[in-house]
Amino acid sequence: MRGANQSSVSEFLLLGLSRQPQQQQALFALFLSMYLATVLGNLLILLAVCVDPRLHIPMYFLLSHLSFVDICFSTTTVPKMLANHILGTQAISFSGCLTQMYFLFELADMDNFLLAVMAYDRFVAICHPLHYSTKMTHQLCALLVAGSWVIANLNVLLHTLLMARLSFCADNAIPHFFCDVTPLLKLSCSDTHLNEVMILTEGSLIMISPFICILASYVHITRAVLRVPSTKGRWKAFSTCGSHLAVVSLFYGTIIAVYFNPLSSHSSEKDTAATVMYTVVTPMLNPFIYSLRNRDLKGALRKMVDRKTCS
């Protein structure tokens, strides 16, 4: 097929998580409920940050962007899987597959960058509290977020173009519920060495650089907190970082497990379990992690619900 860049495959088949009808029904209900929880939870955070003037500070500005990205992240994969189940099909076009892969990894990169910027925000707040308002300005936050979008798009464009040049021959079945780079590389009948090298070098750099920033921020935060004389003061300082650390652990743990190993060491079962964690479970858990440990956010959400009830 010429429209698919010298590929003889016009579409791929997304085999999903199970081929057993009863399990498929249960998975449909599970993924639908998780997707609705993801959208509702993250929308509530977005609304709370927009409505409550007390939350118009850099930390919540960044959190609102993370919530927006998480909604888009889940929307890239889950609705297509649910629609395929309802329509009784497994097909996704070649261009649709590349488009899904593009947005999936663009949003994964944005999650990555936003977590790094949020770590820097906590570093400034704890290590330089007197200079927080002058260092973490709204202009700087907007610039960091805009720069993250630009870098994420350029990075994903490179990998999408590298994928588009590959040829796909007879086998078009993807043992997954979305178009992921690893199973696509396994299906290709072209030489994928360049793709693998770029993932392990340039792709690793994009993922590891923000991770190093996060580690450096928390090294400085730990040093600053340990200098606090009272145990209560230390706990209060660390508690402001607990939610962020939980999200960072979930996100990076699954990403590293899936993408930064040689292609030969991958198994479809392990990859699928890990990708479900970072594409579906993590975006769903983020609103709960942040709201349960944050008094200001809980207060804003409660006030918003009370207003709605009264009206």
Side-chain angles (χ1 to χ4, degrees):
M1 175 188 160
R2 291 180 183 180
N5 247 4
Q6 299 180 354
S7 173
S8 60
V9 171
S10 62
E11 64 180 21
F12 292 102
L13 299 178
L14 299 173
L15 300 182
L17 300 175
S18 174
R19 299 184 189 182
Q20 302 296 326
Q22 289 183 336
Q23 288 183 356
Q24 287 178 350
Q25 294 288 345
L27 287 168
F28 176 84
L30 178 63
F31 272 72
L32 177 61
S33 60
M34 287 196 294
Y35 178 67
L36 292 175
T38 299
V39 173
L40 180 61
N42 284 291
L43 271 179
L44 283 174
I45 288 181
L46 278 169
L47 288 171
V49 173
C50 291
V51 169
D52 196 328
R54 294 177 304 168
L55 302 184
H56 293 173
I57 59 174
M59 181 173 77
Y60 295 109
F61 171 79
L62 296 171
L63 180 58
S64 65
H65 276 272
L66 185 67
S67 293
F68 171 73
V69 168
D70 281 343
I71 291 171
C72 297
F73 198 29
S74 285
T75 303
T76 305
T77 56
V78 179
K80 174 63 178 172
M81 185 191 75
L82 299 177
N84 279 4
H85 179 81
I86 292 170
L87 298 172
T89 181
Q90 297 176 318
I92 184 170
S93 67
F94 185 90
S95 58
C97 189
L98 288 183
T99 302
Q100 187 184 63
M101 191 187 80
Y102 180 94
F103 284 109
L104 180 73
F105 290 105
E106 176 199 30
L107 295 164
D109 283 351
M110 277 305 299
D111 257 343
N112 186 30
F113 294 138
L114 284 171
L115 289 173
V117 176
M118 291 170 82
Y120 176 73
D121 173 75
R122 292 298 82 209
F123 158 72
V124 176
I126 293 172
C127 299
H128 304 282
L130 298 178
H131 302 286
Y132 181 76
S133 58
T134 56
K135 286 191 173 186
M136 286 301 294
T137 61
H138 287 288
Q139 291 85 352
L140 177 62
C141 290
L143 184 64
L144 289 170
V145 171
S148 297
W149 279 109
V150 171
I151 296 170
N153 274 283
L154 291 174
N155 173 57
V156 178
L157 182 61
L158 169 66
H159 290 283
T160 306
L161 292 174
L162 285 173
M163 185 65 73
R165 74 182 179 84
L166 299 179
S167 295
F168 297 87
C169 303
D171 191 4
N172 68 338
I174 299 175
H176 222 319
F177 66 98
F178 65 89
C179 288
D180 198 6
V181 64
T182 304
L184 279 173
L185 290 178
K186 285 184 176 180
L187 289 180
S188 176
C189 50
S190 303
D191 182 10
T192 61
H193 180 69
L194 179 60
N195 297 68
E196 292 180 50
V197 168
M198 291 305 294
I199 290 169
L200 291 172
T201 54
E202 188 272 345
S204 297
L205 182 66
I206 290 290
M207 292 301 296
I208 291 170
S209 298
F211 185 62
I212 290 171
C213 291
I214 292 170
L215 287 178
S217 296
Y218 276 105
V219 167
H220 288 290
I221 288 169
T222 304
R223 287 177 179 173
V225 169
L226 291 176
R227 287 197 292 267
V228 175
S230 67
T231 306
K232 187 178 179 181
R234 290 178 188 174
W235 173 249
K236 187 178 179 181
F238 268 130
S239 66
T240 63
C241 306
S243 302
H244 182 258
L245 277 171
V247 173
V248 165
S249 302
L250 271 174
F251 181 76
Y252 281 101
T254 51
I255 289 281
I256 291 168
V258 175
Y259 297 109
F260 299 110
N261 289 307
L263 200 61
S264 57
S265 66
H266 287 259
S267 70
S268 58
E269 294 80 10
K270 289 181 181 179
D271 286 356
T272 301
T275 49
V276 167
M277 281 297 295
Y278 87 85
T279 58
V280 182
V281 178
T282 302
M284 180 189 70
L285 291 179
N286 284 356
F288 298 101
I289 292 170
Y290 278 104
S291 59
L292 287 174
R293 297 182 61 89
N294 192 301
R295 290 181 183 178
D296 292 337
L297 197 56
K298 281 194 288 187
L301 289 170
R302 198 177 296 116
K303 191 182 293 185
M304 193 168 62
V305 171
D306 290 343
R307 281 181 192 170
K308 189 72 177 176
T309 305
C310 292
S311 63

